[in-house]
Amino acid sequence: VAVWQDPGTGLACKARLDKYLPGALALDIKTTRNASREVFSRDCYTLGYWQQIAWYREGFKRASGEDTPFTIIAIENEAPHLCAVYSLGDESLARGVAENHRILKQYAKALESGTFPGYAAGVQEIDIPAWAMKEHPPEAMEWDSNDNGGF
């Protein structure tokens, strides 16, 4: 576990890795449906690993003073449980650091103001998405107006 204070916001920060040897190895194990480079690359984005790894690297460097290579072991969660070992590229890490600091600043501002971003308050009417409406146009819907649908 690494604990540090963000110099830009003063916020207390924390990160937990699966394995860490200062200056030698920083390791995180991820299970996945597909550990291939192409699919896992997408997973790194959609699941936020690009931010998580940037967070870990920065945090453990601040806490230990050591710049440690970071490795991900991606293990498929179905037989034959193939695995692959990856490191995230510098460009992705730089973008992760920038995004993490943007979020830290947003959080610090919310703490200071007491106003946190969120969804609208109260009950809101919602409909199915427009694409779903096209799949179920009114003329395709046949129902008996006397049928209350079991209610």
Side-chain angles (χ1 to χ4, degrees):
V1 174
V3 178
W4 73 100
Q5 186 173 9
D6 176 60
T9 62
L11 292 172
C13 300
K14 184 177 181 179
R16 183 183 311 237
L17 276 171
D18 290 327
K19 185 68 175 175
Y20 179 70
L21 301 169
L25 173 72
L27 175 69
D28 203 33
I29 298 171
K30 302 291 187 192
T31 58
T32 182
R33 70 191 191 298
N34 185 330
S36 71
R37 184 180 179 136
E38 180 182 329
V39 173
F40 195 72
S41 171
R42 277 194 307 265
D43 287 350
C44 279
Y45 178 72
T46 58
L47 298 173
Y49 297 160
W50 62 290
Q51 290 174 260
Q52 184 182 36
I53 294 163
W55 181 258
Y56 288 164
R57 280 185 55 126
E58 181 177 5
F60 277 86
K61 183 172 184 176
R62 289 190 185 283
S64 71
E66 297 279 346
D67 194 12
T68 304
F70 193 98
T71 303
I72 302 170
I73 298 178
I75 303 173
E76 292 181 356
N77 48 19
E78 292 187 14
H81 305 287
L82 298 175
C83 65
V85 180
Y86 298 108
S87 63
L88 204 60
D90 291 341
E91 181 73 20
S92 296
L93 288 169
R95 290 170 189 259
V97 168
E99 182 65 6
N100 290 343
H101 283 273
R102 184 192 68 75
I103 292 167
L104 277 171
K105 288 176 189 172
Q106 184 181 25
Y107 181 61
K109 184 178 177 182
L111 282 173
E112 186 178 307
S113 69
T115 303
F116 291 81
Y119 300 111
V123 176
Q124 301 173 68
E125 185 174 292
I126 190 170
D127 283 312
I128 61 175
W131 59 264
M133 296 279 199
K134 288 178 185 175
E135 287 186 27
H136 305 279
E139 60 274 8
M141 294 185 287
E142 294 182 26
W143 63 286
D144 181 352
S145 60
N146 294 320
D147 180 6
N148 65 10
F151 295 106

